[in-house]
Amino acid sequence: TNESCLNMILSYLYKKLSLKCGLNNFFKSWKYFYPKNFPKQTNSIDCGVYVCLFAKFLSTNTAINFTLDNVKNFRSNIALDI
């Protein structure tokens, strides 16, 4: 499930951060949620773009609402920024 996958990733990050950086309490302030009905990647090349789009929406505290066309446009914007 998504929740078990998230827990495995968090466990890995916790171990790495606590061993290398001493950040034992780093994750305690994080809020976890499991959104439903959000856009899903339909190919094997857009994962980075989706991560960036999710981060953009989450960091601005706005509803996650984008389409495949937004992904294509956002990919172009990322390329221009680089």
Side-chain angles (χ1 to χ4, degrees), residues 25-42:
N25 295 318
F26 183 72
F27 296 109
K28 291 192 179 198
S29 64
W30 287 18
K31 295 177 184 174
Y32 308 115
F33 68 99
Y34 308 97
K36 295 183 180 3
N37 301 323
F38 59 90
K40 291 186 175 51
Q41 182 179 337
T42 57

Side-chain angles (χ1 to χ4, degrees), residues 13-63:
L13 290 173
Y14 177 79
K15 288 175 187 172
K16 289 294 181 185
L17 285 173
S18 62
L19 290 173
K20 291 188 176 192
C21 306
L23 297 174
N24 294 333
N25 295 318
F26 183 72
F27 296 109
K28 291 192 179 198
S29 64
W30 287 18
K31 295 177 184 174
Y32 308 115
F33 68 99
Y34 308 97
K36 295 183 180 3
N37 301 323
F38 59 90
K40 291 186 175 51
Q41 182 179 337
T42 57
N43 60 36
S44 62
I45 61 170
D46 285 333
C47 51
V49 178
Y50 273 78
V51 168
C52 290
L53 275 169
F54 284 126
K56 178 182 176 183
F57 281 92
L58 291 172
S59 67
T60 58
N61 202 26
T62 55

